[in-house]
Amino acid sequence: SAAGAIAGAITDAVSRLCAIGSTGTLQRELEARWLQKSCLRVLPGAGPAAQATAKLFAAMRDAFDFQPDSVRNQFEHLLSLWRSQVAMVADRSVGRCEDVDESVLLGTALGDLHAELLDGFLKWRSQLSAYEPAGVPSREPDQLHQLAGIQRDKLSGLVDPTSDINDGDVTLQLSRSLEEVTTFLLVWGEAGNVRFMPEVLYFITELVLAADGPTAERLARSASGEDRSSHFLASVVRPIYNAVFDELYDEVSVNQANQKDTKKLHHGFDDFLPPNASNYDDWNELFCDPERLVDGILLEGGARLFEVPHSERFAALSHVDWQASLLAAATKTHREIHSIWGVFASTHRVWLVHSVLFFLGLCIVTGDPPSTISGSQPLFGHATLMRFAAVGLVVPLHAVLWWSARWQITGSALRPTWRECAMGLLYKWSVDWVRKTCREPTHKSLHMLIFSPPDVVALFPLVTYALLRILDEGSAVVLGLCIVHFVLSLYALTHLLFVPSERYKTWELSHVSWRSRFVRYLFWLCVFALKFIVGLQILGAVDDALTGLQIARPGQEPLSEVVQVYFTTNWWSNALLWLVMWATTFVLFTADTQLWFTLCCTMLGVLTVLKQRGWQAHSVCFEHAMSKVPERFSQKILYYAPRPPSTAGKEAANFSSNFPFMWDRIISYMRYEDDIDSHTMSDLAFDAKSGRDNVLWEDLHMPLQATAGMCAPGAGEDVAALRVKLPEVFRPKNASETWFKTYCMQTDRRAPSNADVQWRLAALGRGLALPMPRPYRAPFFPGLTVLIPHYGEQIMIQKKELFTKDERNEVPLMHWLKQKYEDEFLAFTNRQRARGVEWPIAGDHWDEYTDAMWDKCTAWATMRMQTLWRTVAGLCYYHPALQCHFEAQADKNSSLSKEGIWDPSESFTCLVSMQMYKFFDKIQLEHTNKMFDKFPDCLKVAFIDCKDKGDAAESDVVHSFQERRYYSCLIDRTCATEPDGRRKPGFRIELPGYPILGDGKGDNQNHAIPFMRGHYSQGIDANQGAYFEQMMMLPCALGEFRSNKRGDGLGKRIIGFPEHITSDIGSIGDFAASAEVAFGTILQRSYAVLGARMHYGHPDIMNKLYMMQQGGVSKATKTINLSEDIFAGMDFTLRGDGRQIHHREYFHLAKGRDMGFNAVLGFFSKLSSGTGEQILSRQTFRLGQVLHLPEALSFYYAHAGYYVNQFFVSISMPLLVFVWLLVLLSDCDETFLAYQQCQPGQKSAADVMAVFLVACFSWLVLLFLVANTMPLFCELWLQVNLKAAVHKFITSIITLSPLMFVFQAKTIGHYITNEIRFGGASYVATGRGLPTERRAFITKNSNGAFEGLYLDYANIAYYDGVMLLGGVIMVGAAGGTQLDDNAASLLRWTWLSVVLTIMSWLYAPFIFNPYNFVSKHFCGDMKSLFDFFFKSSGKNWNAWYERTLLKSRKGVARSMTDVGFFIAVLFLTAWYSLLNLKAQALTNIFSEIDLLNYLYAAILLPPFFGSLFYCTLVVLVENLAGCRTIAKAGLHTAQGWARERAEKAAKKAATACGTDAAVAPEKARTDLEQAGASGSGGEESAPDVASDDHEAVALSPKAGRPKLRPARSRIWADGVPLAISAIVVMILQIAESCLALWFFRWVGWHKAFLAGLILKWGLTNMCLFLAESILLTPHCLSVLTLPLHHWVRSNRIARDMLVSMVIALPLLPLVFLNHLNDYICPGCSAHQLLIYRDPGTVEREERVFDIDPDADDAEVLLAVAPEPESMPPPTSSKPAVPAGSASAPFATTYGVDVSPAARAGALPGVLSTWSAAIFGGATPEASPGGAIGRSA
């Protein structure tokens, strides 16, 4: 033992000596970084501060073993934060027009930084220390922290005048503040994924601050000298990470093919996380609750960590059992349950409002019930007062549902036992009694769950209403009891609706002024007033319809009569019809709220603009904003720049002296970008001589006045003055001139013709007219980092994408871009030629371009596509913009303004988080290095590196199921380039494990956040851009965060800005861009007023310090946080404490969006799925409870409510057609009227429904379209003029935008409901290429699987579209159109809506599909369709069916408990009761027929007997013949799925129990085979589905296939073709249905016959649904189920054959018309005009001739005369444009590309082209924009 002690002492001494040496080196390095590179070095007190800070960082690294690179990185981070805070402190003096006292800047800034950065930590620690069992001592401000006893210096020489204590205490206070800031930054910098849990970081920070010494493990690790993880990472962070990883994942393996990582979720976690699985929020909330925290953190021996003395807890952290401490059962607080309970829990207040209004309106329109003959009271009373008292029953019913929903979504950590619930109830009612008699209830019963006094009161209306019904209505006590009933109901209603719940508040919400709250209540009062007034008309129409139909009305019937007749068929049929009609009406009643909300938001947005402009409507409508730009730019942007002095006798300039130089720099950027040409540049600039073509990148970085060429002053004038001429663009124009030029088609010749430049100038003028804060003055700019997450997005366009010549003769993408940006390409050409570069005059002879020219072309094209380069280039304009501010209006008296001190890089960083940089290919690395060369000062790249985990992995606690170590790295221009082209990282920080545990983007942002600099961050996507003139407004935008003093909380903000959508190409692109414009401007403007605006990722600017305190700029739990950005805004709102989210519109960025039909809908599918998960999250749930009612309603309808409403709108049409049919077919037939219980004088059902539909629905679709277009219409009116708004509206209608909107609503509704029910949300990479690719109706891809438009949307829209079409046909057959002229005319809007919906659901994808109606492509589609159904006996269809539809079934239990199943049963019951009534009447008529009872049963049974017998016979014959049938394939696929699930479940159970995991799967396989799964032998691939509608990749082979006997003939090898069986099955089922129902037809009951057909169809679908679910259960996997497999597949393929035929046949006339169009007018395609808003042009026939110049007769010989192709095949590999398209004016080859013999006598270049034009080639007029036209 003595030897051991001596060895330990020696080891300790050696390690400390080594540490001293490393500490000194690191300290000197850090100190040099401050004193040599930071601009803070010139401030008073910088030297001692640098020494003390560097020594503190180095000592912390030594004591706690932080990673050296992490320490260096956080030291730089602290310097940037400190400098940023210095700028804000100095700005306060600038704002008071005082000189900046630099002696106090460092000290005051440190105090402010401590207050802001550790605001959350200090409050958390205060709460923890107040909880006595935690044993955390109170904060002692007069003492330094222990920090393991490290040696550090106090901060001396710093002054903080804001402190009210003496100088000595100020030094101590600042030193303590520096310690706490340093500790938090170091802990935060190494936390990795633990950063998503900020309170966990607070916990670790507190333990580090209180630690009394380094641990033995730390000293041993330092002495070991091995290449291992640091002690802090391995012992503190990584164990927490491992517990997080184990909760969700099995392993992370390496794909040997590409060396990329592949993560594998636990079994059953693929679609969505189970409700009881914990996530970051659950674990973080454990550390938010002191009581649970103290009880929950356990050491390995079972003891509690908080039983250890506080100063020793950090040393004990390495012994915490995090697996037990973070166990889901102990930490789960909110269950993300995928059911209707999860939705109702989050949105119950929304449904309560609608329920109360609905039943209130119902009571108003129904009136008093008629008196009964017996004098009995109706069920809901006779008097008006009694009728309205029934509305109070909504409250207790809602309360019970609300309690049930709360119980379902509450996690086990907060779900109390029934005993605790009872104690909690007693505690609420009698605190004193409980305290005296029993233990005080635990936190669970107080925080949660069931009862509180208002909750119990909510049940009292049941009692009071029962008493009211028992008492006689004429009794004297009834009035008093009614008053009590109403008071109790109103009290409970007020509690449920208007009182925010305190039990779900973890933090206090931000204060809202009474004015804002009044506006929000008034807004919703207007919304519900409009809704209620219109709703009364709807409810009245329904009541009139029920009265006209004379059916039973349960609410107005006496209970005694109901008891007598409730069991009769007629009463039940009427009651179900009554229920279905009112249920449908309730759906319609709730569906229109979103539409009224949107319209009112539009009006509110207009009023907000007027308020921003001082209620000066004339300035909004008539002001010429550009004429005000010089003055406003000088007043608001050049706030500190000097004004030119006024001179007697001369007009004084109303702008700053520096404005001309600044403006000319803006115009120079436009010229460099080729947005304008030199002539336009001369017109727009002050310096007319600046209009030159050779604007270089270097010119844009010269000092502002270095390149100025203003006119020299005249004789006798001030030599220092410059003479400038105001550009024409600033000439004032009155309202008359503006109106005349706008509406009389007069264009301003001096105005730029480029539409993008027009928007930029208009946006600048419009933005400067809005209020904006005072800008920061240079050099006192706070720091900003732009964060751009990047995965695989394109960096730059390559030549092969722009121009490729192949046998398909595709028009190059480069030519498409040239025509789209014709004027910009001409400016680009002129600029290149002006630089002395040899450049082709004929711009579109692409094969004449050299590689050097193509480098320039690719750069030009890159800036016009949605590329990362364009994003980085635009955002890096911040850097020169800040430099221009510095040159124009810097505070030259500041020491920071001295030459060589301040640089824009101190204030701005562009950080690209390139997740896959390590796996970049050569081209990607080259493009990345080009970006570094282009933007060397501000661009940095963060990426994830990895290597094998090595031999020390176990001791370093690297997760055993991960094969690598991972590092977060930072590179920039200064980093050395390695031989493979990659750069050596400047910082390389080891991560605790694989960092991408979520869906990708949030984790990618999180790993890069430690490399961000400054106070503020801006999240940007990789498809955005920016403009230099907008970047000049950055100092004003940062002024939004300005605080007046320490702790005022004004910096706790997220500031949102609008975007300029640049991808409005084609009709679909324009629709998507228009929707984005409306959302980003007028709607977000209204949402901000209503308190409903959240964070949407881009281009919001956030206070990074407060985002760090809530887990980052986004969240990253797998599946739940698919829409990662908005959760940051929701958390920001929930944390409250003065946090605010604002929207400002003076600042813009550019944004690209999806432009193709599939891409746009793919984007909305991702949003919808993400919203489905969002609505189930704790953030949505808690915001729904803690916000006041107006904010809660606004939040719902601004986010999840929009998507839910799209579902309601999409189902409204099928619902109404269903009710229409139900009412029509319940009407009496023409014979045997006495037996049908027809009432005398009963109105025709057709007439009744006509009136009903006119009142209920005719306006709904119209309102839907108006609500979708009105925001954009008003915004364009405000931004441009009425003419532009009307033009946009008419254009969108003509190009069939209603079809797009209706189909989009259907898609959104499908995905959000599927996500809520089944899960499966995943990130969808939609792609943002040009909309030029034709997607086939159906075709086989390169992988051998079928794909196409039909398979994309069959389950989403086509099935429902055909069903709706069938319903409409049935309506016609049932007499729904047999109306008088007046009623028929009233239904025109209803029929228009029906036709619009059917056309959209069935044909919208094909109408908006480029080149869809080209005959040769359509013929190919039909051939592929035939192969899909008939080739290989239908195996192609079966493979698609299994991977997309069948596997999505979740088993019988899950299917039968789904809400969709209950709704289907309800409506099927309505049809059943209707037909049962008819059948019973039939048995009464022919009661003497003995076999009628059998016929009665046949009428009501599903028609599957004949078809199932046929399938059994087919299967028997096929088995005897030894055929390889699809039924067998389906059976073995199901067996494979079941075997795989069983093996995974067994393996998981074995792992959990500690048994042999290798034996468990074999046992599970044996059990499965014994249960009935037969067959073994060969293997078959079991496909997996990524979503229930889209194609997916296949899993590894799992399912075994039996060895079959060889077939007797090749014809019978695959058995009976499935398509043939489908036809036979359909014929048998139709025949069986008609045979069973023919008796109705025989007696003349045509309506009963039709109703029977519908019932048969519904029963068949229900049986198919249940059969599909049954076939996947483990007990139904034997060969006995083969007939059922065959029957199910025959029915399903029959459905697809029918639906595809219904879609394809009507397309044939359009194909013929398109062919005729091409024949008659080949240069004007109607379809291309619809899609691209350009009719197209005639393709150029390029003909090559041999010319003999020596011939006397100038003989010209035709060498090559290729036949022109009207339409080449479209491509799916790249976005090349087929010839003849609207975007491509010519096709075929470019230049002369013929054999050498043919070229022997040809003249090169332009001569060949002119020869082709002269001798029969295309004319210049036929090819506008082509080479010929430009040459001419």
Side-chain angles (χ1 to χ4, degrees), residues 458-481:
L459 299 176
F460 286 176
L462 284 174
V463 179
T464 54
Y465 187 79
L467 293 175
L468 284 173
R469 298 302 298 122
I470 294 173
L471 296 174
D472 186 10
E473 289 190 8
S475 174
V477 298
V478 168
L479 181 59
L481 192 56

Side-chain angles (χ1 to χ4, degrees), residues 941-1219:
V941 168
F943 70 95
I944 300 172
D945 197 5
C946 57
K947 70 174 185 180
D948 291 339
K949 58 184 179 181
D951 297 333
E954 184 176 355
S955 59
D956 285 345
V957 204
V958 177
H959 201 286
S960 57
F961 290 105
Q962 295 186 10
E963 301 179 14
R964 289 171 166 172
R965 295 176 187 258
Y966 300 90
Y967 302 85
S968 185
C969 304
L970 184 72
I971 55 176
D972 58 17
R973 178 68 173 79
T974 63
C975 295
T977 303
E978 297 179 339
D980 60 355
R982 292 174 175 81
R983 292 184 181 268
K984 185 177 181 180
F987 293 128
R988 192 168 188 262
I989 303 171
E990 186 177 359
L991 299 172
Y994 183 64
I996 312 298
L997 299 185
D999 289 292
K1001 183 178 178 181
D1003 295 297
N1004 192 16
Q1005 291 173 323
N1006 176 67
H1007 101 87
I1009 282 180
F1011 302 120
M1012 296 174 70
R1013 302 294 184 251
H1015 266 59
Y1016 305 111
S1017 64
Q1018 187 175 28
I1020 297 296
D1021 279 351
N1023 63 332
Q1024 296 195 240
Y1027 310 110
F1028 181 74
E1029 67 275 10
Q1030 295 292 330
M1031 302 294 99
M1032 295 296 298
M1033 298 185 187
L1034 176 62
C1036 295
L1038 296 180
E1040 298 282 354
F1041 299 90
R1042 180 179 284 114
S1043 59
N1044 299 321
K1045 61 180 180 179
R1046 182 182 302 172
D1048 61 6
L1050 296 181
K1052 301 177 180 179
R1053 290 183 176 180
I1054 293 177
I1055 306 297
F1057 299 101
E1059 297 165 317
H1060 172 47
I1061 309 302
T1062 60
S1063 56
D1064 54 343
I1065 300 175
S1067 296
I1068 298 297
D1070 183 65
F1071 299 156
S1074 298
E1076 192 71 17
V1077 167
F1079 174 74
T1081 54
I1082 192 169
L1083 292 180
Q1084 287 197 28
R1085 186 187 311 146
S1086 302
Y1087 296 165
V1089 174
L1090 298 174
R1093 192 193 187 279
M1094 295 293 143
H1095 168 54
Y1096 305 109
H1098 47 76
D1100 295 4
I1101 298 180
M1102 300 164 284
N1103 190 321
K1104 189 191 71 179
L1105 302 188
Y1106 291 101
M1107 304 310 292
M1108 290 168 61
Q1109 298 173 51
Q1110 68 174 45
V1113 297
S1114 60
K1115 300 186 77 68
T1117 298
K1118 180 69 176 174
T1119 307
I1120 297 174
N1121 301 137
L1122 180 64
S1123 300
E1124 71 288 330
D1125 296 324
I1126 192 174
F1127 285 93
M1130 290 194 286
D1131 276 341
F1132 197 78
T1133 303
L1134 282 171
R1135 286 183 177 261
D1137 195 28
R1139 289 170 171 83
Q1140 300 288 337
I1141 301 177
H1142 297 289
H1143 182 72
R1144 301 290 184 260
E1145 297 184 64
Y1146 53 81
F1147 179 81
H1148 296 77
L1149 291 183
K1151 175 71 173 180
R1153 276 298 182 199
D1154 307 278
M1155 294 175 286
F1157 186 85
N1158 272 25
V1160 170
L1161 293 182
F1163 174 71
F1164 275 106
S1165 72
K1166 180 183 72 173
L1167 291 182
S1168 305
S1169 298
T1171 303
E1173 291 293 336
Q1174 172 193 325
I1175 202 173
L1176 305 175
S1177 67
R1178 77 190 63 230
Q1179 285 82 6
T1180 301
F1181 169 73
R1182 290 177 183 173
L1183 284 173
Q1185 318 314 318
V1186 303
L1187 292 177
H1188 283 264
L1189 182 62
E1191 288 90 345
L1193 291 172
S1194 300
F1195 168 72
Y1196 172 74
Y1197 281 106
H1199 300 94
Y1202 168 79
Y1203 297 90
V1204 174
N1205 180 74
Q1206 301 295 299
F1207 166 71
F1208 282 137
V1209 169
S1210 64
I1211 67 169
S1212 61
M1213 180 61 72
L1215 274 178
L1216 278 169
V1217 171
F1218 168 82
V1219 173

Side-chain angles (χ1 to χ4, degrees), residues 794-810:
Q794 195 168 34
I795 301 175
M796 291 185 69
I797 297 292
Q798 301 180 50
K799 175 189 172 182
K800 64 181 181 181
E801 299 172 84
L802 293 175
F803 178 71
T804 301
K805 292 176 59 175
D806 56 26
E807 65 279 2
R808 292 179 293 184
N809 293 326
E810 294 171 344

Side-chain angles (χ1 to χ4, degrees), residues 1407-1661:
I1407 291 174
F1408 292 108
N1409 188 33
Y1411 323 115
N1412 185 76
F1413 305 114
V1414 177
S1415 56
K1416 63 179 181 180
H1417 300 325
F1418 189 80
C1419 293
D1421 291 346
M1422 294 303 100
K1423 182 181 181 303
S1424 296
L1425 184 65
F1426 182 86
D1427 292 343
F1428 181 65
F1429 287 122
F1430 292 94
K1431 193 173 182 179
S1432 300
S1433 296
K1435 288 185 177 179
N1436 296 317
W1437 171 89
N1438 185 66
W1440 168 77
Y1441 166 73
E1442 287 182 348
R1443 71 170 176 261
T1444 58
L1445 300 180
L1446 183 61
K1447 197 178 181 184
S1448 63
R1449 296 285 181 250
K1450 304 298 181 181
V1452 180
R1454 180 73 183 274
S1455 299
M1456 295 186 66
T1457 56
D1458 181 62
V1459 63
F1461 180 81
F1462 286 106
I1463 295 175
V1465 169
L1466 172 63
F1467 287 106
L1468 195 61
T1469 304
W1471 284 109
Y1472 186 89
S1473 63
L1474 169 62
L1475 197 64
N1476 186 37
L1477 178 64
K1478 301 282 187 179
Q1480 190 176 38
L1482 197 65
T1483 57
N1484 293 334
I1485 297 172
F1486 301 98
S1487 57
E1488 68 279 0
I1489 301 179
D1490 296 333
L1491 298 179
L1492 201 60
N1493 289 331
Y1494 298 102
L1495 181 61
Y1496 184 87
I1499 290 173
L1500 300 178
L1501 287 176
F1504 56 65
F1505 296 101
S1507 57
L1508 199 55
F1509 174 77
Y1510 163 79
C1511 292
T1512 304
L1513 184 63
V1514 167
V1515 168
L1516 182 61
V1517 172
E1518 289 175 338
N1519 275 280
L1520 292 176
C1523 301
R1524 299 185 298 270
T1525 65
I1526 289 179
K1528 289 183 179 180
L1531 173 62
H1532 295 300
T1533 299
Q1535 290 174 349
W1537 292 339
R1539 185 178 295 109
E1540 184 179 355
R1541 289 193 296 266
E1543 289 176 2
K1544 288 183 178 180
K1547 182 178 179 180
K1548 181 179 179 181
T1551 303
C1553 297
T1555 57
D1556 189 355
V1559 179
E1562 186 64 31
K1563 182 179 184 299
R1565 188 182 301 110
T1566 304
D1567 294 342
L1568 190 64
E1569 291 174 355
Q1570 291 176 355
S1574 63
S1576 60
E1579 291 186 339
E1580 178 188 4
S1581 177
D1584 185 32
V1585 61
S1587 70
D1588 57 339
D1589 302 302
H1590 289 52
E1591 186 182 345
V1593 298
L1595 294 173
S1596 57
K1598 293 288 183 182
R1601 179 186 294 278
K1603 297 179 181 179
L1604 302 175
R1605 297 189 300 272
R1608 298 182 180 179
S1609 67
R1610 186 173 181 83
I1611 298 177
W1612 286 97
D1614 295 323
V1616 178
L1618 194 59
I1620 301 299
S1621 289
I1623 297 173
V1624 174
V1625 165
M1626 292 306 297
I1627 292 175
L1628 290 174
Q1629 290 178 169
I1630 293 173
E1632 185 176 344
S1633 300
C1634 293
L1635 183 63
L1637 300 170
W1638 192 253
F1639 205 72
F1640 286 127
R1641 189 78 178 172
W1642 179 72
V1643 299
W1645 286 9
H1646 304 295
K1647 295 179 180 178
F1649 179 78
L1650 294 176
L1653 290 179
I1654 294 175
L1655 178 64
K1656 296 287 187 182
W1657 168 81
L1659 290 173
T1660 302
N1661 276 314

Side-chain angles (χ1 to χ4, degrees), residues 1188-1372:
H1188 283 264
L1189 182 62
E1191 288 90 345
L1193 291 172
S1194 300
F1195 168 72
Y1196 172 74
Y1197 281 106
H1199 300 94
Y1202 168 79
Y1203 297 90
V1204 174
N1205 180 74
Q1206 301 295 299
F1207 166 71
F1208 282 137
V1209 169
S1210 64
I1211 67 169
S1212 61
M1213 180 61 72
L1215 274 178
L1216 278 169
V1217 171
F1218 168 82
V1219 173
W1220 197 355
L1221 263 178
L1222 188 63
V1223 173
L1224 288 175
L1225 298 181
S1226 65
D1227 201 11
C1228 297
D1229 282 293
E1230 298 177 357
T1231 60
F1232 301 104
L1233 294 177
Y1235 288 91
Q1236 300 181 61
Q1237 302 183 7
C1238 298
Q1239 303 295 330
Q1242 181 176 335
K1243 294 182 181 180
S1244 168
D1247 294 333
V1248 171
M1249 287 305 297
V1251 177
F1252 167 75
L1253 291 172
V1254 168
C1256 287
F1257 187 74
S1258 294
W1259 55 272
L1260 183 59
V1261 173
L1262 180 63
L1263 179 62
F1264 170 73
L1265 297 177
V1266 169
N1268 275 281
T1269 57
M1270 188 57 67
L1272 178 67
F1273 183 89
C1274 292
E1275 184 61 26
L1276 286 179
W1277 194 349
L1278 290 173
Q1279 289 190 7
V1280 190
N1281 50 55
L1282 179 61
K1283 174 187 171 183
V1286 172
H1287 179 267
K1288 175 71 76 172
F1289 175 77
I1290 294 176
T1291 303
S1292 64
I1293 295 298
I1294 292 176
T1295 51
L1296 304 182
S1297 63
L1299 288 182
M1300 176 65 185
F1301 289 142
V1302 172
F1303 196 92
Q1304 178 180 295
K1306 187 71 173 71
T1307 304
I1308 291 174
H1310 170 86
Y1311 275 100
I1312 190 172
T1313 53
N1314 269 23
E1315 186 59 37
I1316 291 172
R1317 294 161 61 195
F1318 309 123
S1322 60
Y1323 185 83
V1324 179
T1326 56
R1328 298 187 173 98
L1330 297 172
T1332 58
E1333 176 188 340
R1334 180 188 188 272
R1335 188 157 178 83
F1337 188 101
I1338 191 170
T1339 188
K1340 182 179 289 189
N1341 61 23
S1342 58
N1343 296 326
F1346 276 82
E1347 62 180 18
L1349 283 178
Y1350 177 77
L1351 304 184
D1352 289 340
Y1353 301 109
N1355 197 36
I1356 296 175
Y1358 299 152
Y1359 296 157
D1360 292 339
V1362 170
M1363 181 185 68
L1364 183 59
L1365 177 62
V1368 171
I1369 294 173
M1370 295 289 280
V1371 166

Side-chain angles (χ1 to χ4, degrees), residues 766-796:
R766 187 171 59 250
L768 289 173
L770 296 173
M772 61 178 66
R774 172 177 59 85
Y776 282 95
R777 186 175 189 180
F780 305 121
F781 293 130
L784 170 72
T785 297
V786 170
L787 177 60
I788 308 173
H790 176 271
Y791 182 77
E793 293 85 353
Q794 195 168 34
I795 301 175
M796 291 185 69

